[in-house]
Coordinates of all heavy atoms in Angstrom, one line a residue:
S4 N 0.9 -1.1 -0.1 CA 0.0 0.0 0.0 C 0.9 1.3 0.0 O 0.5 2.3 -0.6 CB -1.0 0.0 1.3 OG -0.2 0.0 2.4
V5 N 2.0 1.2 0.5 CA 3.0 2.2 0.6 C 4.4 1.6 0.3 O 4.8 0.5 0.8 CB 3.2 2.8 2.0 CG1 4.3 3.9 2.0 CG2 1.9 3.5 2.4
A6 N 5.0 2.3 -0.8 CA 6.3 1.7 -1.3 C 7.2 1.6 0.0 O 7.4 2.5 0.8 CB 6.9 2.6 -2.3
T7 N 7.9 0.5 0.1 CA 8.7 0.2 1.1 C 10.2 -0.3 0.9 O 10.4 -0.9 -0.2 CB 8.1 -0.9 2.1 OG1 8.8 -1.2 3.2 CG2 7.9 -2.2 1.3
D8 N 11.1 -0.2 1.9 CA 12.4 -0.8 1.7 C 12.7 -1.6 2.9 O 13.8 -2.0 3.3 CB 13.4 0.3 1.5 CG 13.6 1.2 2.7 OD1 12.8 1.0 3.7 OD2 14.5 2.0 2.7
N9 N 11.6 -1.8 3.8 CA 11.7 -2.6 5.1 C 11.8 -4.1 4.9 O 10.9 -4.7 4.4 CB 10.5 -2.2 5.9 CG 10.7 -2.6 7.4 OD1 10.5 -3.8 7.7 ND2 11.2 -1.8 8.3
T10 N 12.8 -4.7 5.4 CA 13.1 -6.2 5.2 C 11.9 -6.9 5.9 O 11.4 -7.9 5.2 CB 14.4 -6.5 5.8 OG1 15.5 -5.7 5.2 CG2 14.6 -7.9 5.6
S11 N 11.5 -6.6 7.0 CA 10.5 -7.4 7.7 C 9.2 -7.3 6.9 O 8.4 -8.3 6.8 CB 10.3 -6.9 9.2 OG 9.9 -5.6 9.1
E12 N 8.8 -6.1 6.5 CA 7.5 -5.9 5.7 C 7.6 -6.8 4.4 O 6.7 -7.5 4.1 CB 7.4 -4.5 5.4 CG 5.9 -4.2 4.9 CD 5.8 -2.7 4.7 OE1 6.7 -1.9 4.9 OE2 4.6 -2.3 4.4
I13 N 8.7 -6.7 3.8 CA 8.9 -7.6 2.4 C 8.8 -9.1 2.8 O 8.2 -9.8 2.1 CB 10.2 -7.1 1.7 CG1 10.1 -5.7 1.3 CG2 10.4 -8.1 0.5 CD1 11.4 -5.1 0.8
I14 N 9.6 -9.4 3.9 CA 9.6 -10.9 4.3 C 8.1 -11.4 4.4 O 7.8 -12.5 4.0 CB 10.6 -11.2 5.4 CG1 12.0 -11.1 5.0 CG2 10.2 -12.6 6.1 CD1 13.0 -11.2 6.1
D15 N 7.5 -10.6 5.4 CA 6.1 -11.0 5.7 C 5.2 -11.3 4.5 O 4.4 -12.2 4.4 CB 5.4 -10.0 6.7 CG 6.0 -10.0 8.1 OD1 6.8 -11.1 8.4 OD2 5.8 -9.1 8.9
S16 N 5.3 -10.3 3.6 CA 4.5 -10.2 2.3 C 4.8 -11.5 1.5 O 3.9 -12.2 0.9 CB 4.6 -9.0 1.7 OG 4.2 -7.9 2.4
V17 N 6.1 -11.7 1.3 CA 6.6 -12.8 0.3 C 6.2 -14.2 0.9 O 5.9 -15.2 0.3 CB 7.9 -12.7 -0.1 CG1 8.2 -11.4 -1.0 CG2 8.9 -12.8 1.0
L18 N 6.3 -14.3 2.3 CA 6.0 -15.7 3.0 C 4.5 -15.8 2.9 O 4.1 -17.1 2.8 CB 6.6 -15.6 4.4 CG 8.1 -15.7 4.5 CD1 8.4 -15.7 6.0 CD2 8.6 -16.8 3.7
S19 N 3.8 -14.8 3.0 CA 2.3 -15.0 2.9 C 2.0 -15.4 1.4 O 1.1 -16.2 1.3 CB 1.6 -13.7 3.2 OG 0.3 -13.7 3.0
A20 N 2.6 -14.8 0.4 CA 2.4 -15.3 -0.9 C 2.8 -16.7 -1.2 O 2.2 -17.6 -1.9 CB 3.1 -14.4 -1.9
L21 N 4.0 -17.1 -0.5 CA 4.5 -18.5 -0.7 C 3.5 -19.5 -0.1 O 3.2 -20.6 -0.7 CB 5.8 -18.6 0.2 CG 6.4 -20.0 0.2 CD1 6.8 -20.3 -1.3 CD2 7.7 -20.1 1.1
K22 N 2.7 -19.1 1.1 CA 1.7 -20.0 1.6 C 0.7 -20.4 0.6 O 0.1 -21.5 0.5 CB 1.2 -19.5 2.8 CG 2.1 -19.5 4.0 CD 1.5 -18.9 5.3 CE 2.4 -18.8 6.4 NZ 1.8 -18.3 7.7
D23 N 0.3 -19.3 -0.3 CA -0.8 -19.5 -1.1 C -0.3 -20.3 -2.4 O -1.3 -20.8 -2.9 CB -1.2 -18.0 -1.7 CG -1.8 -17.1 -0.6 OD1 -2.3 -17.7 0.3 OD2 -1.8 -15.9 -0.8
I24 N 0.9 -20.3 -2.8 CA 1.3 -21.0 -4.0 C 2.0 -22.4 -3.6 O 2.1 -23.1 -4.6 CB 2.2 -20.2 -4.9 CG1 3.5 -19.8 -4.1 CG2 1.6 -18.9 -5.3 CD1 4.5 -19.0 -5.0
Y25 N 2.3 -22.6 -2.4 CA 3.0 -23.8 -2.1 C 2.1 -25.0 -2.1 O 0.9 -25.0 -1.8 CB 3.7 -23.7 -0.7 CG 4.2 -25.0 -0.2 CD1 5.4 -25.4 -0.6 CD2 3.4 -25.7 0.8 CE1 5.9 -26.7 -0.1 CE2 4.0 -26.9 1.3 CZ 5.1 -27.5 0.9 OH 5.6 -28.6 1.3
K26 N 2.6 -26.0 -2.7 CA 1.8 -27.4 -2.7 C 2.7 -28.4 -2.2 O 3.8 -28.6 -2.6 CB 1.3 -27.7 -4.2 CG 0.2 -27.0 -4.6 CD -0.3 -27.6 -5.9 CE -1.7 -26.8 -6.4 NZ -2.1 -27.5 -7.8
K27 N 2.0 -29.2 -1.3 CA 2.8 -30.3 -0.6 C 3.0 -31.4 -1.6 O 2.1 -31.7 -2.6 CB 2.0 -30.8 0.6 CG 2.8 -31.6 1.5 CD 2.0 -31.9 2.8 CE 2.8 -32.7 3.9 NZ 2.1 -32.9 5.0
G28 N 4.0 -32.3 -1.5 CA 4.3 -33.5 -2.4 C 5.0 -33.1 -3.5 O 5.3 -34.1 -4.4
Y29 N 5.6 -32.0 -3.7 CA 6.5 -31.7 -4.9 C 8.0 -31.5 -4.4 O 8.2 -31.1 -3.2 CB 6.0 -30.4 -5.7 CG 4.8 -30.6 -6.3 CD1 3.5 -30.5 -5.7 CD2 4.7 -31.1 -7.6 CE1 2.3 -30.5 -6.4 CE2 3.6 -31.3 -8.4 CZ 2.4 -31.0 -7.7 OH 1.2 -31.2 -8.4
Q30 N 8.9 -31.8 -5.3 CA 10.2 -31.5 -5.1 C 10.7 -30.3 -5.8 O 10.9 -30.3 -7.0 CB 11.0 -32.8 -5.7 CG 10.8 -34.1 -5.1 CD 11.3 -34.2 -3.6 OE1 12.4 -33.8 -3.3 NE2 10.6 -34.9 -2.7
Y31 N 10.8 -29.2 -4.9 CA 11.3 -28.0 -5.6 C 12.8 -27.9 -5.8 O 13.5 -28.3 -5.0 CB 10.7 -26.8 -4.7 CG 9.2 -26.9 -4.6 CD1 8.5 -27.4 -3.5 CD2 8.5 -26.3 -5.6 CE1 7.2 -27.5 -3.3 CE2 7.1 -26.5 -5.5 CZ 6.4 -26.8 -4.4 OH 5.1 -27.0 -4.3
K32 N 13.1 -27.2 -7.0 CA 14.5 -27.1 -7.4 C 14.9 -25.6 -7.4 O 16.2 -25.4 -7.2 CB 14.7 -27.8 -8.7 CG 16.1 -27.9 -9.1 CD 17.0 -28.6 -8.3 CE 18.5 -28.8 -8.7 NZ 19.4 -29.4 -7.8
K33 N 14.1 -24.7 -7.6 CA 14.4 -23.3 -7.7 C 13.3 -22.4 -7.1 O 12.1 -22.7 -7.1 CB 14.5 -23.0 -9.2 CG 15.2 -21.6 -9.4 CD 15.5 -21.3 -10.9 CE 16.1 -20.0 -11.1 NZ 16.5 -19.8 -12.6
A34 N 13.7 -21.3 -6.6 CA 12.9 -20.2 -5.9 C 13.5 -18.9 -6.2 O 14.8 -18.7 -6.3 CB 12.4 -20.6 -4.6
G35 N 12.7 -17.9 -6.0 CA 13.2 -16.5 -6.1 C 12.3 -15.4 -5.8 O 11.1 -15.6 -5.7
V36 N 12.8 -14.2 -5.6 CA 12.0 -13.0 -5.2 C 12.6 -11.9 -6.2 O 13.7 -11.6 -6.3 CB 12.3 -12.6 -3.8 CG1 11.6 -11.3 -3.5 CG2 11.7 -13.7 -2.9
T37 N 11.5 -11.2 -6.7 CA 11.9 -10.0 -7.5 C 11.1 -8.8 -7.0 O 9.9 -8.9 -6.8 CB 11.5 -10.3 -9.0 OG1 12.1 -11.4 -9.5 CG2 11.9 -9.1 -9.9
L38 N 11.8 -7.7 -6.8 CA 11.2 -6.4 -6.4 C 11.0 -5.6 -7.7 O 11.9 -5.4 -8.4 CB 11.9 -5.8 -5.4 CG 12.3 -6.6 -4.2 CD1 13.1 -5.6 -3.0 CD2 11.0 -7.0 -3.5
S39 N 9.8 -5.0 -7.9 CA 9.6 -3.9 -9.0 C 8.9 -2.8 -8.7 O 8.4 -2.7 -7.4 CB 9.0 -4.7 -10.2 OG 7.8 -5.3 -9.8
G40 N 8.5 -2.0 -9.6 CA 7.8 -0.6 -9.2 C 8.7 0.1 -8.3 O 8.3 0.6 -7.3

């Protein structure tokens, strides 16, 4: 909602997003985070 450079705020947001896309039972090989805007 407000542009940020705060590590904790960014970590909380990306981990929340990870919970939404994570699926159990898969073998993951790669992951990443990109900041834009």
Side-chain angles (χ1 to χ4, degrees):
S4 57
V5 176
T7 183
D8 63 354
N9 189 280
T10 303
S11 61
E12 193 175 3
I13 294 172
I14 287 176
D15 286 345
S16 297
V17 297
L18 290 185
S19 176
L21 178 64
K22 287 180 183 177
D23 293 338
I24 62 176
Y25 171 78
K26 278 190 178 181
K27 198 173 181 180
Y29 288 89
Q30 298 286 323
Y31 296 98
K32 186 62 177 174
K33 188 175 183 179
V36 174
T37 301
L38 303 182
S39 59

